[in-house]
C-alpha cells in the first residue's frame, strides 16, 4: 500500500515538473509549447534547395538567371525590388535577411526552455560581432562603417559602445557585464591592451566557454535534445580543436596557450586534447585523428591538391550530415539549431555559385557542399 | 440544349505565325480570351527561352512601377482607377515606357534624398533649440552656486570639499532616444568609474526620424566631467549609443544669441522643406493618374511574351508555330482576331489548321456573371470531363433550395435576401473598388447565390412558420382549446386530441405548419420528425435525379454497356433501399392517424427505423 502511494506521489502532471524530476519531457507534452514552431521549422526545412535546384543554378550564365531561378524556389521574389545589375553582396545580404526574419519569428514565439535554447544560438554571433567591432576599432574604422557588417542575430543594446574599451578588463566591466556573454568572460579578463593576437585569443576563449556552457545546458535538457545536440556540439568542439592546432603552427601561439583554447566538451577530451597539445605538425594531428573513427575518415581523403577536397570542406560535409540527421528525430530542439546551420550553408553555397558566375571562373563551381 | 448543359466542343489547332505579326496576333487573341495555348517547350529552362530578355525588361518596369505605387500610397494619394482596359502597346512603344519610368524613378529618388537631407538638417536644428532651452535650467543651477557660495548646488556637491575654488568642469550636451537612457547611464557609470555626472530632461514633443519617417521621443542630456581623458571616453560612448552631440556655449548671452539664430534658420528650412514636399506631391499626383493604366500595359506585354515563349521556332519559314485549344463555336472569332493582328503589323496572314488528336480536350463552360459563381461551386468538387453533362444549371436552383430547407426562417431570410440584393444592385461600383479583404471578396463573388438562398429561405420559412423563431398566425389556427376554465386552472399541461371536432377543425392549416405548435411542449418532437423525413425525401429524390442524368451521358458517349452494368444496378440498389424507405414514410403519414380504428391510431404506428432495418 505504501509502495502504491509512493508511486502515485511520483506521478507529476505539469510539464515543468516533468522537467524537474527526470530532466526529460514526455514526448506527448512537447507539442503544447513547441508544436507550432517545430511544424514551422520542418516546413522551412522542406524549402531547402535540392540537388535539382543546384544543377539548375550552376547552369546559369548571369546573375539575372540566378535570380530568375531562385524565384521558383522557396526564396520567391526576395530580390524583386533590387535594381537590375545585381551584385553578389546584395544577394548575400538579402539571403541573410530572410534567414534572420525566420529566426526572429521563431524566437518571438518561443517560450522557455526553447527561448533560452535559441538565445544560446545567438551568443555565437554576438562573439563574432564583438571581435569584428574591436578589430575594426583597432584599425581606426568609424563605428558607423562597421555596424552594417555585424550579423543581425548577434546584436545587443550596448554593442555600439564597444570601441570605448581598450583593454579586455574594460571591455568586460563597461560593456559585456550586462550581456549574456558575461559568464563566458571569466578567464580572459586581463589588463593587456587589445591587439591583434589578443583578440583572437579572446575570441577563442569566449567561444570555448560558450560551447561548454551550451553543451551542459543541452545535457540538462535531457532526452532526444541532449542526444542530438551533444553529438553536434561535440563535433563542433573537436573541429575547433583541430583547426586551432593546424592554424597555430608557425605562429607565436605556444603549446601551453593553445591547450587553454581547446573546448573540452568533445570526444577528444581528455586524451585527444592532450595529444593535440603536444602536436608539432600536420602529421601529428593526423595521427591523433587516427584514434577516432569518424575523424580518421575525414582526414583520410583530405588534401590541398586540386581534385581533392580540403579538410574544411570535409568538416562542413560532416556537419551537414549531422544536421540533416537531426531531422529524423521528433520532439526535440535540435531541429532549430540544425535548420539555422543548414540554411547558412545553403547561403554560402549560393554565394559561392554566384561568385563563380560573376567572375566567369566556372572551374570550381561544383565545389559547393551538397545538403540534401 | 443550352450551352451550359454540356461543356463546349473543343478543337486542337495549329497556328503558323510570321515573326513580325506574332506579337500583335497574340495581343488580339489575348483580348479575345478564348484560346488556351499548349507549352511546346516544356523541357527548356526558364532562362533559356527565346524571349527571356523581354520578360526581364518587363520585370524591371514592374519593379519601378511598384516603387512608384509604394511612394504614392505613402503619401496617401488616391489612385485613380477608371476601369479602362488599355491595349498592349507595340514593342517599339515599350522603349518609350521604359524611358518614362526610368525618368520618374530617378526624379522621385532625387526628391526623396533631398527631402531626407533637409529633414536631417531640420531635426538637428530642432534638437539644438530644445537643448538650448533645457540646458538653461542646468546652467542656472550651476551659476547659482558661483554667485552665492554658501548655498548648496549640484556642482558644488560634485567636487571634493577641499578643492581650490570652483574648478572648471567640461561638459557635453546632446540628444538621445528615450529608450536608450537607462543603458546609456549604466555604461557611463561603468566606463568612467562614476566620475561623470549626467542630467537629462525629456522632450515633450516627438520628433520625426528622417530615415523612417516615424515619430520618436527623445531626451536632452548634459554630462559634466573633469579632464580630457574622460572627455574622450564620454564622446566615444555617446557615439556608440547614437546620441547626437551639439556645441552649447556656456555664457547665457551666447546661448540666447544662438537660440535666435537657430530660430531664423528653422523658419527658412521650414519653407524650403514645404516646397520640396509640394514638388514631390505634384510629381506623385501626376503619376497616380496613369499608374493603373501603365501597370495593365506592362502586365499585358509580359503575358504576351510568356505566351510567345511557349511557341516553337520554325527556322525554315521564319515563323512561329503554336498549338492551342479553341472552342469550335468560336472558330470565326479567332480567325477574325488573327486577321486584325496581321493587318496591324502588315505581313502575311496567319494560318490556322485543325489537328485531330486522341488527347482529352480541356473542359470549357461558357458562363456569364450569374452562372459563374455556381460553376465555380461545382468545379470545386472536381471539374467535369470533356463533354460530360454539367451539373451547374441544375445547381442554380437545387443548391439554394437545399440550403433553404436547412435555414428555414423568414426573418433571417429577408435579411439575407436584402444583403444579396444590395450587392447585386450596386455591382458595378463595388467591383470597381478592388479591395484585398478576402472575406468581402468571397461574399461579393457569391452575391447571386446569397440572393437566391435568401429568397428560398423566405419560402421555406413560411412553410416552417418561422419568423425570427416565432410563428405567425395568418389564416387562423386549426386547433382550439376546448377545455373549461377550471380544467385549465387545475392542470399544468393539457393535451389536444385531433380526433375531437371541438379541439381540431378536421382540415389542416392552409399553408405551412400550424402556429399552435409554437405553444406546445412536444413542438421539437413533431418538428424534428417532420423535418427529418422531409430531408430524407428531398435527398433521395435529388440523388435519384443525379443517377438518372447519367443515362444521358451514357447515351451521348455511346456506351450502352454502362447503362446495363452501371445504371441499372445503381437504380436497383437505390430503389430497393431508399425509395422503399420513402414509401414507408408516405405510407405511415397517410395510413396512420387519429380518429378511426385502434389499429390505425398513433399508438399503433410502427417505427420506420425498426421496420427498415428489422432489428
Amino acid at each position: 500500500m505504501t509502495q502504491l502511494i509512493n508511486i502515485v506521489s511520483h506521478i507529476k502532471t505539469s510539464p515543468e515538473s516533468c522537467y524537474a524530476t527526470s530532466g526529460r519531457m514526455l514526448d506527448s507534452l512537447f507539442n503544447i509549447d513547441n508544436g507550432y514552431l517545430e511544424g514551422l521549422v520542418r516546413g522551412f526545412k522542406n524549402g531547402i534547395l535540392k540537388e535539382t535546384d543546384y544543377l539548375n543554378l550552376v547552369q546559369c550564365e548571369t546573375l539575372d538567371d540566378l535570380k530568375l531561378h531562385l524565384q521558383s524556389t522557396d526564396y520567391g521574389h526576395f530580390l524583386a525590388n533590387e535594381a537590375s545589375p545585381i551584385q553578389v553582396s546584395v544577394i548575400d545580404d538579402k539571403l541573410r535577411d530572410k534567414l534572420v526574419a525566420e529566426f526572429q519569428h521563431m524566437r518571438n514565439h518561443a517560450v522557455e526552455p526553447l527561448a533560452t535554447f535559441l538565445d544560446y544560438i545567438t551568443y555565437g554571433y554576438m562573439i563574432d560581432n564583438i571581435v569584428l567591432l574591436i578589430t575594426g576599432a583597432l584599425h581606426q574604422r568609424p563605428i558607423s562603417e562597421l555596424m552594417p557588417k555585424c550579423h543581425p542575430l548577434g546584436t545587443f543594446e550596448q554593442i555600439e559602445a564597444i570601441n570605448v574599451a581598450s583593454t579586455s578588463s574594460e571591455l568586460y566591466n563597461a560593456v559585456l557585464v550586462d550581456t549574456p556573454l558575461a559568464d563566458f568572460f571569466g578567464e580572459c579578463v586581463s589588463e593587456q591592451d587589445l591587439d591583434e593576437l589578443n583578440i583572437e585569443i579572446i575570441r577563442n576563449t569566449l567561444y570555448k566557454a560558450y560551447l561548454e556552457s551550451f553543451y551542459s545546458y543541452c545535457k540538462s535538457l535531457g532526452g532526444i535534445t541532449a542526444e542530438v545536440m551533444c553529438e553536434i556540439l561535440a563535433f563542433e568542439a573537436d573541429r575547433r580543436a583541430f583547426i586551432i592546432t593546424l592554424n597555430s603552427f608557425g605562429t607565436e601561439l605556444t603549446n601551453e596557450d593553445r591547450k587553454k583554447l581547446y573546448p573540452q566538451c568533445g570526444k577528444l577530451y581528455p586524451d585527444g586534447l592532450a595529444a593535440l597539445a603536444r602536436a608539432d605538425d600536420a602529421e601529428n594531428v593526423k595521427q591523433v585523428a587516427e584514434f577516432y573513427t569518424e575523424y580518421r575518415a575525414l582526414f583520410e581523403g583530405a588534401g590541398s591538391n586540386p581534385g581533392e577536397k580540403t579538410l574544411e570542406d570535409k568538416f562542413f560535409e560532416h556537419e551537414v550530415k549531422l544536421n540533416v540527421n537531426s531531422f529524423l528525430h521528433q520532439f526535440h530542439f535540435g531541429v532549430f539549431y540544425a535548420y539555422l546551420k543548414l540554411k547558412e550553408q545553403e547561403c554560402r553555397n549560393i554565394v559561392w555559385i554566384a561568385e563563380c558566375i560573376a567572375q566567369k571562373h566556372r572551374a570550381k563551381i561544383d565545389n559547393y557542399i551538397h545538403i540534401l | 440544349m443550352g450551352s451550359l448543359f454540356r461543356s463546349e466542343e473543343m478543337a486542337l489547332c495549329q497556328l503558323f505565325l510570321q515573326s513580325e505579326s506574332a506579337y500583335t496576333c497574340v495581343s488580339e487573341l489575348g483580348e479575345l480570351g478564348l484560346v488556351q495555348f499548349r507549352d511546346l517547350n516544356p523541357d527548356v529552362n526558364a532562362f533559356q527561352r527565346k524571349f527571356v530578355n523581354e520578360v526581364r525588361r518587363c520585370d524591371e518596369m514592374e519593379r519601378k512601377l511598384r516603387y512608384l505605387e509604394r511612394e504614392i500610397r505613402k503619401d496617401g494619394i488616391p489612385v485613380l482607377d477608371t476601369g479602362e482596359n488599355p491595349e498592349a502597346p507595340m514593342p517599339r512603344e515599350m522603349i518609350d515606357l521604359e524611358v518614362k519610368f526610368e525618368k520618374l524613378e530617378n526624379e522621385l529618388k532625387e526628391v526623396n534624398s533631398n527631402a531626407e537631407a533637409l529633414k536631417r538638417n531640420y531635426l538637428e536644428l530642432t534638437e539644438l533649440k530644445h537643448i538650448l532651452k533645457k540646458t538653461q535650467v542646468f546652467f542656472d543651477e550651476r551659476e547659482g552656486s558661483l554667485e552665492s557660495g554658501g548655498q548648496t548646488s549640484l556642482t558644488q556637491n560634485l567636487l571634493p570639499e577641499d578643492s581650490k575654488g570652483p574648478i572648471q568642469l567640461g561638459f557635453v550636451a546632446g540628444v538621445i532616444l528615450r529608450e536608450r537612457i537607462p543603458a546609456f547611464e549604466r555604461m557611463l557609470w561603468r566606463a568612467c568609474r562614476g566620475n561623470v555626472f549626467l542630467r537629462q530632461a525629456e522632450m515633450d514633443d516627438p520628433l520625426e526620424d528622417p530615415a523612417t519617417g516615424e515619430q520618436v521621443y527623445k531626451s536632452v542630456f548634459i554630462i559634466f566631467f573633469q579632464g580630457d581623458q574622460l572627455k574622450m571616453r564620454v564622446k566615444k560612448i555617446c557615439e556608440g549609443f547614437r546620441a547626437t552631440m551639439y556645441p552649447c556655449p556656456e555664457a547665457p548671452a551666447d546661448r540666447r544669441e544662438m537660440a535666435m539664430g537657430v530660430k531664423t534658420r528653422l523658419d527658412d528650412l521650414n519653407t524650403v522643406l514645404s516646397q520640396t514636399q509640394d514638388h514631390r506631391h505634384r510629381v506623385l499626383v501626376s503619376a497616380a493618374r496613369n499608374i493603373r493604366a501603365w501597370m495593365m500595359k506592362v502586365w499585358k506585354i509580359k503575358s504576351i511574351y510568356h505566351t510567345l515563349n511557349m511557341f516553337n521556332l520554325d527556322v525554315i519559314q521564319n515563323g512561329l508555330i503554336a498549338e492551342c485549344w479553341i472552342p469550335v463555336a468560336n472558330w470565326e472569332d479567332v480567325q477574325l482576331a488573327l486577321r486584325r493582328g496581321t493587318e496591324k503589323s502588315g505581313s502575311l496572314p496567319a494560318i490556322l489548321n485543325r489537328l485531330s488528336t486522341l488527347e482529352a480536350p480541356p473542359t470549357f463552360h461558357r458562363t456569364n456573371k450569374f452562372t459563374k459563381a455556381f460553376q465555380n461551386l461545382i468545379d470545386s468538387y472536381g471539374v467535369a470531363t470533356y463533354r460530360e453533362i454539367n451539373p451547374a444549371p441544375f445547381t442554380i436552383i437545387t443548391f439554394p433550395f437545399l440550403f433553404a430547407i436547412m435555414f428555414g426562417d423568414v426573418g433571417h431570410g429577408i435579411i439575407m435576401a436584402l444583403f444579396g440584393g444590395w450587392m447585386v444592385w450596386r455591382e458595378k461600383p463595388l467591383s470597381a473598388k478592388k479591395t484585398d479583404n478576402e472575406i468581402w471578396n468571397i461574399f461579393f463573388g457569391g452575391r447571386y447565390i446569397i440572393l437566391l438562398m435568401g429568397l428560398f429561405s423566405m419560402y421555406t420559412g413560411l412553410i416552417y412558420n418561422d419568423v425570427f423563431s416565432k410563428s405567425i398566425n395568418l389564416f387562423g389556427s386549426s386547433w382550439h382549446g376546448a377545455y373549461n376554465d377550471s380544467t385549465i386552472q387545475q392542470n399544468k399541461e393539457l393535451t389536444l386530441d385531433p380526433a375531437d371536432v371541438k379541439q381540431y377543425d378536421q382540415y389542416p392549416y392552409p399553408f405551412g405548419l400550424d402556429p399552435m405548435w409554437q405553444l406546445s411542449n412536444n413542438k421539437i418532437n413533431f418538428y424534428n420528425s417532420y423535418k427529418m423525413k422531409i430531408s430524407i425525401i428531398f435527398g433521395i429524390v435529388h440523388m435519384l435525379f443525379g443517377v438518372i442524368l447519367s443515362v444521358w451521358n451514357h447515351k451521348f458517349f455511346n456506351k450502352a454497356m454502362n447503362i446495363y452494368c452501371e445504371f441499372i444496378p445503381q437504380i436497383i440498389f437505390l430503389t430497393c433501399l431508399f425509395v422503399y424507405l420513402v414509401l414507408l414514410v408516405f405510407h405511415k403519414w397517410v395510413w396512420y392517424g387519429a380518429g378511426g380504428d385502434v389499429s390505425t391510431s398513433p399508438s399503433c404506428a410502427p417505427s420506420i427505423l425498426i421496420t427498415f432495418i428489422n432489428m
Side-chain angles (χ1 to χ4, degrees), chain A residues 238-239 241-249 258 262 268 272 275-292 295-296 299 311 315:
Chain A
D238 293 335
R239 171 201 202 170
F242 281 127
I243 300 278
I244 290 176
T245 317
L246 287 171
N247 286 347
S248 70
F249 296 141
R258 196 170 75 204
Y262 294 148
L268 290 176
L276 270 184
R278 290 192 299 268
D280 285 319
D281 57 32
E283 263 311 303
N284 293 359
V285 173
K286 191 160 174 191
Q287 279 165 359
V288 174
E290 294 284 315
F291 291 110
Y292 301 90
Y295 304 148
R296 179 167 69 191
F299 273 82
L311 187 62
F315 279 145

Side-chain angles (χ1 to χ4, degrees), chain B residues 301-442:
Chain B
I301 302 178
K302 197 164 163 195
S303 28
I304 293 179
Y305 279 117
H306 269 306
T307 318
L308 285 175
N309 270 338
M310 295 202 268
F311 293 179
N312 243 339
L313 182 61
D314 186 13
V315 267
I316 311 166
Q317 295 161 19
N318 191 22
L320 291 165
I321 307 179
E323 272 181 31
C324 53
W325 291 101
I326 54 178
V328 171
N330 293 109
W331 184 268
E332 283 308 316
D333 302 320
V334 172
Q335 293 274 35
L336 267 172
L338 285 173
R339 205 168 304 146
R340 276 201 304 271
T342 50
E343 269 167 29
K344 258 201 220 164
S345 65
S347 69
L348 299 170
I351 309 171
L352 190 63
N353 277 346
R354 187 165 177 174
L355 302 173
S356 62
T357 173
L358 291 175
E359 223 179 273
T363 312
F364 174 57
H365 299 291
R366 210 178 289 271
T367 54
N368 53 27
K369 65 182 179 185
F370 174 63
T371 52
K372 193 144 86 104
F374 296 101
Q375 188 63 55
N376 276 343
L377 204 58
I378 294 295
D379 285 345
S380 68
Y381 287 99
V383 182
T385 57
Y386 179 61
R387 297 234 94 199
E388 205 183 28
I389 293 190
N390 183 15
F394 307 106
T395 311
I396 297 178
I397 296 299
T398 61
F399 183 82
F401 184 68
L402 287 177
F403 172 85
I405 292 185
M406 294 186 273
F407 200 61
D409 188 317
V410 178
H412 295 113
I414 289 181
I415 295 178
M416 203 173 192
L418 282 177
F419 178 50
W422 170 74
M423 281 197 286
V424 171
W425 185 34
R426 309 224 105 240
E427 226 173 24
K428 284 230 170 42
L430 283 175
S431 67
K433 251 206 248 170
K434 285 201 205 352
T435 51
D436 284 335
N437 192 348
E438 264 185 62
I439 300 183
W440 165 254
N441 280 338
I442 293 179

Side-chain angles (χ1 to χ4, degrees), chain B residues 551 553-568:
Chain B
V551 179
N553 267 340
H554 298 320
K555 284 213 323 231
F556 180 81
F557 290 119
N558 278 333
K559 294 214 170 120
M561 181 63 88
N562 280 359
I563 299 189
Y564 298 122
C565 296
E566 270 186 39
F567 173 70
I568 303 282

Side-chain angles (χ1 to χ4, degrees), chain A residues 10 29-30 60 74 93 98 141 143 149 158 163 175 179 230 242 252 255 269 280 314 316 321 325 327-328 343 353 365:
Chain A
H10 278 304
L29 301 175
F30 182 86
C60 292
D74 233 26
D93 285 338
K98 186 165 193 294
R141 296 252 179 282
I143 192 115
K149 297 204 190 136
Q158 304 92 333
N163 54 355
V175 183
T179 64
C230 290
F242 281 127
E252 299 169 349
N255 287 12
Y269 173 77
D280 285 319
K314 295 218 115 187
F316 275 128
K321 190 174 76 160
N325 284 346
F327 280 91
L328 295 174
K343 244 343 210 207
I353 296 176
I365 198 170

Side-chain angles (χ1 to χ4, degrees), chain B residues 257-270:
Chain B
E257 221 179 283
M258 195 177 223
M260 284 197 302
V262 165
K263 190 167 171 322
T264 34
R265 277 160 70 195
L266 265 177
D267 289 333
D268 289 338
L269 251 186
N270 251 333

Side-chain angles (χ1 to χ4, degrees), chain B residues 142 146 155-156 158-169 226:
Chain B
R142 183 183 170 203
L146 291 175
T155 50
Q156 200 76 348
L158 286 177
L159 303 174
E161 284 299 319
D162 50 354
S163 61
K164 327 185 263 266
I167 296 184
Q168 281 296 72
L169 292 176
Q226 194 182 9

